Amino acid sequence: MLDKRGLFLLLFWLFSLLSFAQKERKEIPLKNILGIISKQHQVRFSYIEDEIVVYALTPPDQNWPLEEKINYLKKLTQLQFKQINEKYYTIFNDQKVDKPLCGFLLDAETGKGIENATIRIAKAHYTTFTDADGHFEIPKISSDVIQIQHQGYQTFTINPKDLNVPGCPKFKLQAHLQTLAEVITQRYLATGISKKNDGTIVIKPKKFGLLPGLIEPDVLQTMQQVPGIISIDETISNINVRGGTHDQNLFLWNGIRMFQTGHFFGLISAFNPSLAQNITLIKNGSSAFFGESVSSLVDISSQSNTTEDTNASLSSNMISAEFYSKVKISDNSNFTFSARRSLTDILESPTYSNYSKRIFQNTIITDLSTNEIIGYKSNVDFYFYDITAQFEQKIGTKHQFNIDVIAIENTLQFDQSTADLNKNSSLEQESFGGSLQWKTKWNANHFTEFKGYFSAYDLNSSNQTLESNQILDQKNKVLDFGFQVRNSNRLSDQLTLNTGYQFNETGVTNFDQVNLPFFSRTITNVLLSHVGIVESIYETKNQKTFIRAGLRANYFDKFGFFLAEPRLQFNQALSNHWRLEILGEQKSQTLSQIIDLQQDFLGVEKRRWTLANNSTIPIQKSNQLSLGFSFKKSNWLVTLDNFYKKITGITSSSQGFLNQFETERAVGNYQVLGSEFLIQKSFNRFYTWLSYAYNDNQYDFKTLTANSFPNNFEVTHAVTWAGIYEWKKVKFALGAKWHTGRPITTPVNFTVSETNPNIVYNTPNNENLKDYFQVNFSASKEWRLGDKSSLLTSASVLNVLNTQNSINRFYRVNNANNIVESVDTFSLELTPNINVKFIF
């Protein structure tokens, strides 16, 4: 039984609840309210349907007099009520709103329009989407709240009356606070590049802004803007991440391992920029599902999670032309095709001429005794192409099936001569790969993925040296098969467990044949590996703490041993603006590239893949740990990363020595201590950033005459700056790069004796080339031609100041006069390029 106090509290609670419910009466359409008032007061209202349909209000108290009710409606709607007579009123809007409801959806951080956001009025069964500018229009059909949804942004609602104003108002949407890997910043270096809490950098080419020197979002050029990533010789086939070699990076295209990354032997990416949907770049702390690299990971995906409408594009620049098409076969399937081919055998543009000089340049050889310059002439017949095809099929609501195919080809005929000598060489470089993928989302917390792939790489070359009649034929083939199962279980709102298994079989064949003296060999190696993976991800509900810890257990069948590789990603919010990041990993790789006969082909493609044998070519192993901080406030972004990296099991032939160690075969390691700093500021339309990287990179080869000396790829100091302006569909980008020159080893003397015609070198890497400096510029403009068509024009100038930078140097003996000659490779000259792209 309730006592009087309890009864009083119960009655008070019921009374309060009823009072609250009364205050929270449901809003109803204005048209319905006018109907109620008409019956109560025997009056009539005249109006235009479009002018009142967007309003929904809480009805006025039925006991109010008519005048008070009208004043109430006028106050909340800003509509005008004009009394014609005692029983008749007319309602009108005196603002200029004779148009559909419209608005713009913008990214809250970048101010850029949000494309393909869903605009839905549920009860009216009406849906539309935003265009590339984030603009949308809807008819005046309901007073129901308008729902805004986009997979990259938080759900948002708009009251239709807020759109019933002159002009089209702008609404800023906040990016998703993702339950895993929250985004630190949506604009990192450029629009379309974001950095996440797990240390990964994500590039979305379709949202890409502009970077200095680029006419399109080339992923391998873009990644060189990130602090700690540089190409020591300006090519994308020689990208150095934190002091590592290019072959120590893992490049994946839709899960297929790629052994060839460039066209034009490194000046152009082999991956079509029109195709990619999402590109993930990781310098440290990669997931345990990724192996076979002791440096960075570049994961390129052209798969989408939604079935897109049919769209296509045609484009051409001064090097190549391309076609891209995505066809919507049904509501659940897409077919995508792309093809790109060089125009180099059809049109010799200024861009092509400068690219040719850079890769096949007339090498300048200086007689350091007489300072006489000897010029070599060359004729080049060259072309490249790449083709991709993809099929995506959704099966029901849980399953998705993908097929992906890629083919890449470079073909070169190269003739080089002096007055007395002639060299005829050829090179064919091709890649072909395919993958099958099945994804099943059993429920909201359980996901499984099956993937199988193969990748084939083939390099055939024939090199004839100028100094003799010797001909060297080389073939390098790689065949890689793989299978993976991945299972993900979300155990709670904060904890996810991922497990998986991978099988891989890799075969490498190397063929070498020399005519004088005759020598021929063919070596084939095959390695099978089995990998077990376990990984857990923990993130607090407020996204302040993120931890990913994993273990990758490799078993190498040929060598009969296990190799465990722990991984760690830790990110902690120290305040609303400061975050701490700790990344660590142990990784390994069995494939590496080595160089034979460094001086052949005068610096054109000379590397070939080889497989570890666990003796003269060990399995490379890496240990890396980094500590970083980030600060973000008021459109300022500051990041600082300090790291330690050690790679063991490297061979001297993989490091490209051009000194006394060129023909040595030794096993060693290198270790790097470094820091990377970035400061960036956004001013809505204009943003700018400055980065600095420091590396102390040292070799340790126990069996060489000099044990410890600077790494061939050491860039002690590197500074990059860019300023980018975006206004509507016009973009400008200006930037500069500066870094210290690469290490070189100089001769002790510049003459040699007839009895001992060998160069005597100083201590390894005793000097550096002169500092490198380059200024680049880009501009672009998009023209809307229709609802679904547009024209994108862009132009770029590389090396605006036409600075001559020496990017490599080696020495050799001229046997005619026993003089030591220096051979320099110079950077790209001032090079313009334009691109025209028609999207429909």
Side-chain angles (χ1 to χ4, degrees):
M1 295 293 292
L2 291 172
D3 58 16
K4 291 182 179 179
R5 182 180 299 174
L7 182 61
F8 172 78
L9 291 174
L10 178 62
L11 292 174
F12 179 79
W13 177 77
L14 289 173
F15 177 78
S16 300
L17 184 63
L18 290 171
S19 298
F20 178 78
Q22 179 68 20
K23 292 180 181 179
E24 296 296 319
R25 287 178 296 169
K26 184 179 179 180
E27 292 183 344
I28 62 174
L30 175 59
K31 183 178 180 179
N32 294 356
I33 295 175
L34 294 176
I36 295 172
I37 295 176
S38 295
K39 290 181 178 180
Q40 289 179 338
H41 297 277
Q42 300 300 310
V43 294
R44 294 182 61 191
F45 295 98
S46 175
Y47 48 79
I48 298 174
E49 185 81 19
D50 280 357
E51 291 189 348
I52 72 163
V53 72
V54 297
Y55 295 101
L57 311 170
T58 301
D61 192 307
Q62 60 179 357
N63 296 321
W64 290 355
L66 176 61
E67 184 179 355
E68 188 173 352
K69 291 178 181 178
I70 290 177
N71 289 335
Y72 170 80
L73 298 178
K74 288 173 63 176
K75 181 179 179 181
L76 294 184
T77 64
Q78 303 300 312
L79 293 171
Q80 300 300 313
F81 286 71
K82 183 177 181 181
Q83 186 173 5
I84 304 301
N85 54 46
E86 185 178 350
K87 296 292 184 179
Y88 191 83
Y89 291 82
T90 182
I91 305 173
F92 62 94
N93 193 330
D94 61 354
Q95 300 184 56
K96 295 180 180 180
V97 290
D98 186 19
K99 61 176 184 60
L101 302 179
C102 64
F104 288 89
L105 301 184
L106 307 178
D107 185 289
E109 183 173 349
T110 67
K112 296 277 293 182
I114 300 172
E115 187 177 7
N116 288 328
T118 303
I119 315 296
R120 179 179 291 112
I121 305 175
K123 292 183 180 179
H125 303 291
Y126 180 85
T127 301
T128 189
F129 302 90
T130 54
D131 63 15
D133 299 321
H135 179 261
F136 66 90
E137 285 187 0
I138 57 176
K140 298 176 181 178
I141 56 175
S142 173
S143 61
D144 292 333
V145 170
I146 301 166
Q147 299 174 344
I148 310 294
Q149 292 181 323
H150 189 284
Q151 61 181 2
Y153 296 86
Q154 297 180 32
T155 300
F156 187 70
T157 59
I158 301 175
N159 194 312
K161 69 179 181 181
D162 295 331
L163 300 176
N164 195 40
V165 294
C168 298
K170 298 177 180 180
F171 301 90
K172 294 186 176 182
L173 273 61
Q174 296 292 335
H176 258 313
L177 295 177
Q178 301 175 4
T179 54
L180 299 178
E182 179 194 5
V183 173
I184 291 178
T185 179
Q186 286 288 346
R187 180 189 275 173
Y188 179 81
L189 303 179
T191 302
I193 307 178
S194 59
K195 186 175 182 181
K196 295 186 176 181
N197 278 352
D198 60 1
T200 62
I201 296 169
V202 177
I203 304 169
K204 295 183 180 295
K206 290 190 175 181
K207 295 185 177 181
F208 191 74
L210 195 66
L211 283 173
L214 300 187
I215 54 174
E216 52 190 354
D218 187 314
V219 56
L220 302 185
Q221 294 285 3
T222 299
M223 66 183 287
Q224 294 178 46
Q225 307 289 332
V226 176
I229 302 179
I230 193 171
S231 175
I232 204 165
D233 63 0
E234 288 189 330
T235 68
I236 55 176
S237 59
N238 195 13
I239 295 176
N240 317 113
V241 180
R242 290 180 170 175
T245 55
H246 184 78
D247 62 311
Q248 293 173 342
N249 304 314
L250 175 63
F251 295 92
L252 299 174
W253 184 85
N254 290 335
I256 305 167
R257 183 174 184 182
M258 302 304 300
F259 301 98
Q260 176 184 351
T261 58
H263 286 311
F264 227 130
F265 303 101
L267 291 182
I268 302 170
S269 170
F271 307 113
N272 192 325
S274 297
L275 196 62
Q277 294 275 350
N278 200 67
I279 301 160
T280 302
L281 170 63
I282 303 175
K283 293 187 287 185
N284 185 18
S286 58
S287 166
F289 283 88
F290 298 104
E292 273 301 317
S293 70
V294 293
S295 198
S296 74
L297 164 69
V298 181
D299 186 12
I300 304 170
S301 173
S302 58
Q303 299 172 353
S304 60
N305 294 322
T306 59
T307 303
E308 299 180 14
D309 291 335
T310 297
N311 61 90
S313 67
L314 283 169
S315 67
S316 179
N317 55 48
M318 300 176 76
I319 295 292
S320 63
E322 69 177 62
F323 170 74
Y324 163 83
S325 178
K326 190 160 197 171
V327 180
K328 184 177 182 180
I329 300 173
S330 69
D331 290 339
N332 294 312
S333 60
N334 277 125
F335 175 75
T336 306
F337 176 80
S338 75
R340 177 172 53 163
R341 192 192 187 281
S342 63
L343 304 174
T344 53
D345 52 344
I346 302 172
L347 173 68
E348 188 169 333
S349 66
T351 307
Y352 170 67
S353 297
N354 286 356
Y355 276 28
S356 294
K357 289 178 184 178
R358 164 61 189 87
I359 294 296
F360 317 119
Q361 61 185 284
N362 296 329
T363 306
I364 298 175
I365 302 175
T366 305
D367 183 327
L368 298 180
S369 175
T370 63
N371 202 35
E372 179 185 355
I373 295 178
I374 306 169
Y376 284 96
K377 297 180 180 180
S378 63
N379 294 312
V380 178
D381 184 13
F382 169 74
Y383 74 90
F384 65 81
Y385 69 80
D386 57 73
I387 299 173
T388 66
Q390 299 174 248
F391 176 72
E392 299 174 86
Q393 175 71 57
K394 288 187 177 181
I395 303 172
T397 59
K398 296 182 176 181
H399 308 285
Q400 182 172 330
F401 177 64
N402 295 80
I403 302 176
D404 302 280
V405 178
I406 185 171
I408 302 170
E409 171 85 18
N410 284 329
T411 299
L412 168 71
Q413 296 292 327
F414 185 56
D415 302 327
Q416 192 173 44
S417 63
T418 64
D420 303 317
L421 300 172
N422 184 68
K423 175 184 177 181
N424 302 305
S425 301
S426 64
L427 178 67
E428 292 182 350
Q429 187 182 32
E430 59 185 12
S431 296
F432 183 70
S435 69
L436 299 174
Q437 187 178 55
W438 183 282
K439 301 177 183 178
T440 299
K441 188 173 183 179
W442 304 105
N443 53 52
N445 298 315
H446 187 195
F447 171 80
T448 304
E449 177 186 85
F450 300 88
K451 182 189 299 180
Y453 81 93
F454 79 92
S455 181
Y457 171 78
D458 198 352
L459 174 68
N460 297 293
S461 65
S462 178
N463 298 340
Q464 182 178 343
T465 62
L466 281 166
E467 293 80 6
S468 69
N469 292 323
Q470 188 179 80
I471 300 174
L472 170 66
D473 292 321
Q474 292 179 306
K475 294 183 180 180
N476 179 219
K477 296 184 178 181
V478 181
L479 189 58
D480 187 33
F481 293 93
F483 173 76
Q484 173 181 295
V485 180
R486 178 173 182 169
N487 193 63
S488 178
N489 284 279
R490 190 172 183 82
L491 305 179
S492 69
D493 291 340
Q494 297 172 297
L495 184 64
T496 300
L497 178 66
N498 298 327
T499 55
Y501 166 79
Q502 295 175 0
F503 168 78
N504 186 256
E505 179 179 354
T506 305
V508 178
T509 299
N510 278 295
F511 167 81
D512 298 271
Q513 181 173 291
V514 182
N515 65 330
L516 293 173
F518 182 79
F519 171 79
S520 181
R521 68 177 179 181
T522 302
I523 300 174
T524 300
N525 289 311
V526 179
L527 182 63
L528 278 67
S529 64
H530 304 268
V531 182
I533 301 158
V534 62
E535 180 179 76
S536 63
I537 303 172
Y538 172 81
E539 185 174 34
T540 56
K541 291 182 179 180
N542 58 12
Q543 286 91 38
K544 290 188 175 181
T545 303
F546 176 87
I547 303 172
R548 185 201 300 263
L551 181 67
R552 181 182 179 88
N554 304 273
Y555 177 74
F556 301 101
D557 187 80
K558 188 175 182 178
F559 308 135
F561 69 82
F562 281 96
L563 185 62
E565 301 174 2
R567 312 287 174 85
L568 174 67
Q569 300 166 0
F570 172 73
N571 193 289
Q572 177 65 50
L574 304 178
S575 68
N576 290 334
H577 309 295
W578 286 94
R579 298 195 77 98
L580 166 70
E581 178 183 81
I582 298 175
L583 303 174
E585 65 180 19
Q586 288 186 350
K587 294 203 294 186
S588 66
Q589 71 178 69
T590 57
L591 275 167
S592 61
Q593 285 184 309
I594 62 173
I595 298 173
D596 283 337
L597 300 173
Q598 175 69 245
Q599 295 172 5
D600 277 358
F601 223 32
L602 291 178
V604 185
E605 182 61 54
K606 53 191 175 288
R607 297 167 298 180
R608 56 180 177 176
W609 290 96
T610 187
L611 198 57
N613 56 23
N614 209 30
S615 57
T616 56
I617 306 177
I619 296 176
Q620 294 184 37
K621 302 172 186 176
S622 70
N623 292 276
Q624 187 174 184
L625 182 67
S626 63
L627 173 67
F629 297 91
S630 64
F631 171 81
K632 182 184 175 186
K633 184 180 181 182
S634 302
N635 292 323
W636 282 97
L637 175 66
V638 181
T639 65
L640 175 64
D641 294 289
N642 303 285
F643 69 91
Y644 169 78
K645 177 180 179 180
K646 183 175 183 179
I647 311 295
T648 62
I650 64 170
T651 60
S652 56
S653 57
S654 69
Q655 298 301 299
F657 283 108
L658 300 170
N659 52 22
Q660 59 266 50
F661 301 141
E662 183 175 343
T663 58
E664 295 286 339
R665 296 295 180 262
V667 176
N669 64 72
Y670 70 85
Q671 60 181 7
V672 190
L673 280 171
S675 292
E676 298 158 357
F677 173 77
L678 170 73
I679 182 168
Q680 176 179 303
K681 172 64 175 175
S682 296
F683 303 91
N684 196 16
R685 294 178 180 175
F686 176 77
Y687 57 100
T688 183
W689 50 265
L690 177 73
S691 71
Y692 167 75
Y694 167 79
N695 271 208
D696 179 15
N697 192 346
Q698 297 291 314
Y699 283 128
D700 185 12
F701 286 95
K702 300 297 184 184
T703 60
L704 296 180
T705 53
N707 294 338
S708 181
F709 52 94
N711 193 301
N712 294 338
F713 302 97
E714 180 185 59
V715 176
T716 308
H717 305 284
V719 177
T720 305
W721 169 83
I724 302 167
Y725 179 80
E726 297 180 359
W727 178 67
K728 294 186 177 179
K729 295 298 180 179
V730 179
K731 302 170 185 176
F732 298 97
L734 179 67
K737 297 179 180 180
W738 172 90
H739 63 75
T740 50
R742 71 185 301 175
I744 59 170
T745 307
T746 59
V748 174
N749 297 303
F750 294 108
T751 59
V752 297
S753 65
E754 292 184 6
T755 57
N756 184 25
N758 295 317
I759 300 174
V760 178
Y761 286 97
N762 286 300
T763 56
N765 293 340
N766 62 309
E767 290 187 8
N768 290 76
L769 294 174
K770 291 184 179 179
D771 293 351
Y772 176 98
F773 179 72
Q774 187 180 81
V775 176
N776 302 314
F777 172 78
S778 292
S780 70
K781 173 74 167 79
E782 184 176 1
W783 315 80
R784 299 295 295 183
L785 304 179
D787 293 338
K788 294 184 178 181
S789 61
S790 62
L791 184 69
L792 179 62
T793 57
S794 54
S796 69
V797 180
L798 290 168
N799 198 4
V800 173
L801 303 180
N802 203 24
T803 308
Q804 187 180 60
N805 297 297
S806 177
I807 55 179
N808 205 3
R809 179 183 299 163
F810 67 90
Y811 299 88
R812 67 184 184 185
V813 176
N814 186 329
N815 294 323
N817 52 21
N818 295 325
I819 297 298
V820 177
E821 300 171 334
S822 72
V823 183
D824 277 76
T825 302
F826 292 97
S827 63
L828 195 67
E829 299 175 358
L830 184 151
T831 304
N833 201 358
I834 58 173
N835 188 69
V836 179
K837 186 174 187 177
F838 177 51
I839 304 168
F840 55 96

